[in-house]
Amino acid sequence: MNAIFDIKHMDLYYGEKQALKDINLSIKEKEVTAFIGPSGCGKSTLLRSLNRMNDLITGCKITGDIEYKERNIYDKKFDVIDLRSKVGMVFQKPNPFPMSIFDNIAYGPRCHGIKNKEQLKVIVEESLKQAALWEEVKDRLKDSAMALSGGQQQRLCIARTLAMKPDVILMDEPTSALDPIATLKIEELVIELKKDYTIIIVTHNMQQAARISDKTAFFYLGELVEYTDTTKLFTNPDKKQTEDYITGKFG
Ligand SMILES: Nc1ncnc2c1ncn2[C@@H]1O[C@H](COP(=O)(O)OP(=O)(O)OP(=O)(O)O)[C@@H](O)[C@H]1O
């Protein structure tokens, strides 16, 4: 199996409090994996660990291994900047930079040393096309990204991530601030993007997980309860806790 992430016996602590307990999980390349579970079960914490965003939180300690392409990302020699360009992230609330649409997309490539205008134009156009936003913004690339709608801003954030040519896109509840139509557009986009990218998405919306993911991981109180094909998890789960959650008995 071609796993892009292999998580082995991972524990995570915020100070004294253990937020993740002995997590073992292999995430396959070019699939959509959904993390589901009740509030506070550790979904976002695990997602953030995959590109070392938790490094920014004081008191956060991780033990065990998280291997990305067979290398432990918590190894001292692992280049975090490189990791974050390969494992991009899209957040719950769209967070465009207060600059033009063009500059939002060109920002990452410029930081990585690409200064050639033609090359940047190509990257911006390709990224916006991949994020299904090009047609809506091609005539106003110089306008502020802040003037876009919420759904357009979220697709811009996805395009900004794509401009770095990542392998993996982490999405932390990317549609929870959006209306149903904007949500549908992001869901269609995720299905399109999985041809080329590995996508890991935290969602509170079980229908969304069922619609767009290949595999689903159900977490409860910091533990991974069940991880299997999405269809199986939602129709014939192995664990009672999973069944109780998906049938709405708690959550
Ligand atoms: N920066 C932090 N410092 C201390 N504790 C934290 C921090 N972030 C999260 N936690 C705790 O870790 C546990 C897991 O939180 P996390 O946000 O990962 O859960 P979640 O499943 O994503 O929840 P939600 O669905 O509400 O976003 C919770 O008990 C939370 O209070």
Side-chain angles (χ1 to χ4, degrees):
M1 151 165 162
N2 40 345
I4 193 158
F5 273 110
D6 224 342
I7 306 168
K8 297 174 182 167
H9 299 295
M10 181 221 180
D11 294 302
L12 183 145
Y13 301 83
Y14 290 116
E16 296 293 300
K17 185 185 147 65
Q18 186 165 5
L20 290 171
K21 296 169 197 162
D22 195 28
I23 304 295
N24 292 282
L25 183 61
S26 275
I27 292 172
K28 238 179 125 180
E29 234 178 339
K30 295 184 184 162
E31 279 194 343
V32 179
T33 301
F35 290 175
I36 64 164
S39 197
C41 68
K43 308 176 292 290
S44 301
T45 295
L46 182 61
L47 194 77
R48 286 198 303 263
S49 305
L50 300 178
N51 70 348
R52 290 189 50 177
M53 291 292 278
N54 287 324
D55 286 12
L56 311 170
I57 298 171
T58 26
C60 178
K61 192 180 132 218
I62 291 176
T63 61
D65 282 353
I66 298 185
E67 290 177 5
Y68 167 67
K69 296 190 166 175
E70 300 183 341
R71 288 181 57 212
N72 187 1
I73 62 169
Y74 285 88
D75 192 293
K76 284 196 183 72
K77 285 188 216 130
F78 209 102
D79 182 342
V80 183
I81 307 281
D82 190 39
L83 175 70
R84 295 202 187 125
S85 69
K86 289 288 163 213
V87 184
M89 188 149 191
V90 175
F91 299 88
Q92 185 170 6
K93 207 165 156 273
N95 59 347
F97 303 141
M99 52 179 77
S100 74
I101 294 169
F102 186 97
D103 288 342
N104 260 274
I105 313 296
Y107 185 88
R110 277 188 181 126
C111 288
H112 271 68
I114 300 175
K115 304 284 177 220
N116 180 293
K117 274 194 182 148
E118 285 310 309
Q119 210 182 339
L120 286 171
K121 269 191 192 169
V122 171
I123 294 174
V124 169
E125 181 171 339
E126 270 180 3
S127 308
L128 287 168
K129 279 183 174 160
Q130 273 190 305
L133 188 58
W134 176 249
E135 289 303 322
E136 288 159 68
V137 300
K138 64 181 179 195
D139 300 323
R140 47 174 175 144
L141 295 177
K142 288 189 178 152
D143 290 2
S144 170
M146 309 309 279
L148 296 171
S149 72
Q152 289 172 327
Q153 288 187 5
Q154 197 58 306
R155 278 180 283 142
L156 179 92
C157 293
I158 294 172
R160 196 171 62 191
T161 304
L162 295 174
M164 295 305 292
K165 311 227 175 302
D167 293 323
V168 181
I169 309 171
L170 308 176
M171 297 184 164
D172 197 351
E173 296 186 55
T175 61
S176 63
L178 305 180
D179 66 50
I181 290 169
T183 296
L184 185 68
K185 281 195 180 153
I186 301 276
E187 290 186 4
E188 285 169 352
L189 182 56
V190 168
I191 291 166
E192 191 59 32
L193 289 173
K194 80 165 181 179
K195 291 180 190 148
D196 298 308
Y197 304 92
T198 305
I199 296 171
I200 309 170
I201 180 168
V202 167
T203 179
H204 270 282
N205 181 332
M206 282 190 268
Q207 283 84 9
Q208 179 167 75
R211 280 193 295 266
I212 66 173
S213 71
D214 301 293
K215 297 259 166 47
T216 299
F218 167 60
F219 295 86
Y220 185 56
L221 298 175
E223 291 182 37
L224 173 59
V225 176
E226 188 160 352
Y227 170 55
T228 186
D229 286 342
T230 296
T231 321
K232 173 164 169 49
L233 191 128
F234 285 107
T235 54
N236 184 23
D238 284 334
K239 302 276 167 65
K240 173 134 192 344
Q241 262 173 341
T242 313
E243 189 177 338
D244 287 350
Y245 182 70
I246 62 169
T247 54
K249 291 204 178 114
F250 72 96

